[in-house]
């Protein structure tokens, strides 16, 4: 539960630490982009701690505005770029599934453009509502972009063909619904708990490798045809 600068900072250190473990465990370079996600989520929590400090008046207006902007850049354009691209990289070469993941990565890039423009053109505002922070970014076509955002991120995980990533996608989808409900009720922000869960789930996956192809899997036999 991240209800203050101190809680967000503690969560950020924890998640970034898990993210460091993920990165150190990587053996297959194709898994590196997605393995970097937990570390990014930890940094995101640390940035939000600075947003809390700004709302509490404990840092100046300039650093506070910078923190809000960095928070929005990570949450909005960066995640729909990184997640489907990372899943696409991890899928390995060839196959209809990888082409499908490629289209989701393109969708994530398309979604990221108007989100980045919105963040950079309009000052990001934040407001303390009970135990949560509410952000105002001024995103155009919000329902359409939100649907495309979720399709690119959660969708790429669930159709990845990797059992661990598919499980992560299902957990993240359900967790996002719960977090959004609690956030709208201004009860508490549970996004940091979801980030920690994602990081923990990716630790085992990050250290894996794709199994080697079985002999004759491509339909060829030693010595050629015949």
């Amino acid at each position: 539960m991240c209800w203050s600068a101190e809680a967000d900072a503690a969560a950020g250190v924890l998640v970034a630490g898990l993210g460091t473990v993920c990165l150190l465990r990587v053996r297959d370079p194709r898994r590196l982009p997605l393995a970097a996600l937990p570390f990014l989520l930890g940094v995101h929590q640390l940035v939000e701690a600075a947003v809390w400090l700004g709302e509490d008046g404990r840092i100046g207006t300039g650093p506070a505005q910078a923190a809000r902007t960095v928070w929005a850049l990570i949450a909005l354009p960066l995640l729909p770029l990184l997640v489907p691209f990372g899943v696409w990289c991890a899928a390995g070469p060839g196959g209809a599934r990888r082409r499908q993941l490629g289209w989701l990565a393109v969708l994530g890039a398309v979604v990221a453009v108007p989100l980045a423009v919105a963040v950079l053109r309009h000052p990001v505002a934040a407001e303390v509502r009970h135990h949560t922070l509410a952000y105002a970014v001024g995103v155009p076509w919000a329902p359409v972009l939100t649907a495309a955002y979720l399709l690119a991120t959660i969708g790429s995980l669930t159709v990845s063909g990797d059992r661990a990533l598919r499980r992560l996608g299902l957990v993240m989808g359900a967790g996002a619904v719960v977090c959004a409900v609690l956030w709208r009720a201004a009860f508490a922000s549970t996004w940091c708990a979801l980030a920690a869960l994602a990081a923990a789930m990716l630790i085992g996956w990050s250290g894996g490798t794709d199994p080697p192809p079985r002999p004759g899997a491509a339909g060829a036999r030693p010595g050629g045809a015949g």
Side-chain angles (χ1 to χ4, degrees), residues 50-222:
V51 175
W52 276 105
L53 293 176
E55 296 307 301
D56 293 342
R58 289 187 274 174
I59 61 174
T61 56
Q65 182 60 58
R68 292 192 294 269
T69 300
V70 173
W71 184 94
L73 285 172
I74 295 174
L76 298 179
L78 187 51
L79 286 180
L81 276 173
L82 175 62
V83 174
F85 174 73
V87 176
W88 176 80
C89 288
R97 190 183 301 277
R98 194 166 194 256
R99 289 194 295 271
Q100 184 180 19
L101 292 171
W103 283 114
L104 289 174
V106 170
L107 176 63
V110 170
V111 169
V113 172
L115 294 178
V117 170
V119 172
L120 296 176
R121 289 186 61 181
H122 307 289
V124 179
E127 177 186 0
V128 177
R129 295 181 182 174
H130 300 290
H131 303 294
T132 65
L133 283 172
Y135 293 88
V137 182
V139 174
W141 318 299
V144 174
L145 289 178
T146 299
Y149 184 111
L150 293 174
L151 178 60
T153 53
I154 303 299
S156 62
L157 290 168
T158 55
V159 304
S160 66
D162 184 296
R163 183 179 301 176
L165 294 184
R166 185 166 58 247
R167 187 183 304 118
L168 175 64
L170 294 174
V171 170
M172 292 300 100
V177 172
V178 173
C179 288
V181 170
L182 293 175
W183 174 77
R184 286 186 177 277
F187 173 71
S189 176
T190 51
W191 298 108
C192 53
L194 188 60
L197 179 59
M201 294 180 71
L202 281 172
I203 284 178
W205 174 86
S206 65
T209 57
D210 287 343
R214 292 174 297 174
R221 290 180 295 173

Side-chain angles (χ1 to χ4, degrees), residues 15-16 18-24 26 29-43 78-79 82-83 86 199 202 205-206:
V15 176
L18 294 174
T20 302
V21 174
C22 279
L23 290 172
L24 291 175
V26 170
R30 293 176 300 181
R31 298 193 175 204
L32 187 58
L34 194 58
L37 175 63
F39 186 81
L40 177 66
L41 294 177
V43 171
L78 187 51
L79 286 180
L82 175 62
V83 174
L202 281 172
W205 174 86
S206 65

